[in-house]
Amino acid sequence: MILVRDAVEADVEGVARAHVRGWRETYAEFLSPPALQGLSVEERAAQWRGAFARPDPEAKVVVAEAADGEIVGFARGGPLRGKEPMLLGTETELYAIYLIDKVKRQGLGRRMMRDVFNHLATHGFASVGLWVLKENAPARRFYERLGGVAGPEQSFDIRGDWVTEIAYRFEPIPAL
Ligand SMILES: CC(C)(COP(=O)(O)OP(=O)(O)OC[C@H]1O[C@@H](n2cnc3c(N)ncnc32)[C@H](O)[C@@H]1OP(=O)(O)O)[C@@H](O)C(=O)NCCC(=O)NCCS
């Protein structure tokens, strides 16, 4: 039984571990080893600690917690903050969603998206967008299944790898 619940400050280490593991497992297919090696749990934990230290009531972080207490995934969304907000063109953004391999495809992604989307809709927002690697076909199918519509693309460098992302937008924000 896996629980989806709001994240609390004590989750920082667990979220950082899930973040790095989820990133490595998912992107092993799309990124080169140097790009994957650059990530560290400590670095991520520091970023997450910063986010918890300055909580934004309009943002939402949820975690998926296994019966043994391990954080196996998380999702985070809130007001638009990307590098090129105009390109995404939505009021809010799903900043990240990650599950580790062993818990994928059990409905947890949908449950986490539902919590984040409900939170944004409750705060009066009408649209949410996100960026996903163009090559990340499983995630793109997931977003499309939930009603996301593909939009513009942007390319940039991730630690030496030139990658292309594609935007998805949800408007109105669906009740999943
Ligand atoms: C993408 C992700 C969040 C989806 O979460 P999930 O819990 O695996 O997906 P769910 O079980 O909620 O799937 C809901 C529906 O989405 C679709 N879907 C999900 N994963 C899919 C896949 N790999 N291939 C095709 N369709 C998929 C299906 O229609 C699925 O419904 P079904 O299982 O009844 O057929 C998760 O797999 C993940 O964390 N992936 C790695 C990280 C990642 O790529 N994040 C996105 C970065 S932008």
Side-chain angles (χ1 to χ4, degrees), residues 20 22-39 44 98 133-136 156-165:
V20 171
W23 222 86
R24 290 203 175 122
E25 288 178 345
T26 299
Y27 296 134
E29 232 182 296
F30 313 123
L31 298 180
S32 65
L36 291 170
Q37 277 155 15
L39 280 174
R44 288 287 159 175
Y98 285 96
L133 278 189
K134 202 176 171 188
E135 284 182 281
N136 189 352
F156 57 93
D157 186 273
I158 297 186
R159 297 183 169 90
D161 282 6
W162 189 247
V163 299
T164 299
E165 288 185 331

Side-chain angles (χ1 to χ4, degrees), residues 12-172:
V12 160
E13 296 292 335
V15 169
R17 268 194 300 275
H19 200 157
V20 171
R21 184 166 163 190
W23 222 86
R24 290 203 175 122
E25 288 178 345
T26 299
Y27 296 134
E29 232 182 296
F30 313 123
L31 298 180
S32 65
L36 291 170
Q37 277 155 15
L39 280 174
S40 90
V41 173
E42 293 69 29
E43 199 182 296
R44 288 287 159 175
Q47 286 169 0
W48 279 101
R49 238 173 253 117
F52 277 105
R54 295 179 301 281
D56 174 354
E58 291 185 327
K60 178 90 160 173
V61 189
V62 294
V63 293
E65 180 183 20
D68 64 0
E70 185 191 5
I71 301 298
V72 291
F74 68 92
R76 179 171 181 232
L80 205 60
R81 57 146 206 200
K83 287 165 290 206
E84 304 216 35
M86 296 317 290
L87 199 54
L88 198 51
T90 49
E91 293 172 14
T92 63
E93 183 176 0
L94 183 82
Y95 307 138
I97 181 165
Y98 285 96
L99 290 166
I100 61 175
D101 275 350
K102 67 178 179 185
V103 300
K104 283 178 183 167
R105 214 60 197 271
Q106 300 174 23
L108 289 169
R110 178 191 278 271
R111 282 164 60 192
M112 295 196 299
M113 291 278 278
R114 180 190 299 149
D115 284 2
V116 173
F117 278 19
N118 283 348
H119 179 88
L120 297 174
T122 302
H123 278 76
F125 295 113
S127 57
V128 56
L130 58 89
W131 291 104
V132 57
L133 278 189
K134 202 176 171 188
E135 284 182 281
N136 189 352
R140 290 182 60 182
R141 281 197 287 271
F142 169 72
Y143 296 134
E144 285 162 12
R145 180 77 173 79
L146 270 43
V149 177
E153 298 179 10
Q154 64 177 359
S155 295
F156 57 93
D157 186 273
I158 297 186
R159 297 183 169 90
D161 282 6
W162 189 247
V163 299
T164 299
E165 288 185 331
I166 183 164
Y168 277 87
R169 62 183 290 141
F170 300 76
E171 187 172 15

